[in-house]
Amino acid sequence: MKPYLWTNVVVLYQLKADPVKEEPAFQQTIDKNFQRFKQDKLVFIDLTGKNSGKLHAQLTPEALETLRKRFKTEPNKSTYVIVGMDGWEKFRQTGRFNPSQFIDIIMQYSSSNSEK
C-alpha cells in the first residue's frame, strides 16, 4: 500500500464468498462515480484479488494477505474500509453493501480531505 500513501485515499473491500448482488452493485457504484472518485484520488483494492476494474490497484497475494491481517478482515464476511492518505483506517463497515450510504461516506470523507 506504500505507493498510495500521501497521494490517495484507499478503499479496501472484501465481498463475501458468494456476493450475488453485492459485486455488481459495488462495481456499478464505482462506474457511475468514476470521474468524482478519480478526481478525489480514490484507489480501490479488492482484498480477494478478484477485481481489476476501474480505479483498482493490483497487489501480490502476499501484499493482500498483509492488508487482510493489518485491517483484521474476516473470511466470508463483506467488509469495506476507507484508509486515509496517512495510512490509517478512517471508516469501516461490515455486512451488506449499501451503495447510497457508501457514496455518502466516501463523499463526506473525500470532501473533508480536499479542504485540507
Side-chain angles (χ1 to χ4, degrees):
M1 198 167 82
K2 284 184 182 181
Y4 307 106
L5 291 179
W6 305 111
T7 58
N8 297 94
V9 172
V10 176
V11 179
L12 303 172
Y13 71 96
Q14 172 179 284
L15 301 176
K16 62 184 178 177
D18 185 23
V20 186
K21 294 179 183 178
E22 285 187 80
E23 196 166 338
F26 192 75
Q27 192 57 51
Q28 287 174 358
T29 301
I30 293 170
D31 291 345
K32 285 180 184 176
N33 296 279
F34 177 76
Q35 289 303 326
R36 175 67 192 263
F37 289 170
K38 185 176 178 182
Q39 174 187 327
D40 289 346
K41 299 184 179 185
L42 269 79
V43 171
F44 294 85
I45 298 174
D46 180 350
L47 294 173
T48 66
K50 294 181 202 171
N51 200 327
S52 60
K54 294 178 181 176
L55 300 176
H56 276 74
Q58 297 303 301
L59 302 179
T60 65
E62 295 80 17
L64 292 171
E65 181 61 27
T66 299
L67 288 174
R68 285 191 292 268
K69 286 180 182 176
R70 177 179 172 199
F71 291 98
K72 298 178 176 97
T73 61
E74 298 177 42
N76 292 322
K77 193 171 195 178
S78 293
T79 306
Y80 310 88
V81 180
I82 298 173
V83 181
M85 290 185 180
D86 60 1
W88 290 96
E89 182 176 319
K90 305 300 181 187
F91 175 82
R92 173 183 293 262
Q93 178 180 336
T94 56
R96 193 173 184 156
F97 177 67
N98 179 326
S100 60
Q101 181 185 26
F102 180 77
I103 293 297
D104 289 345
I105 291 162
I106 289 285
M107 295 306 176
Q108 179 182 26
Y109 180 73
S110 61
S111 294
S112 66
N113 211 28
S114 64
E115 290 170 4
K116 294 178 181 177

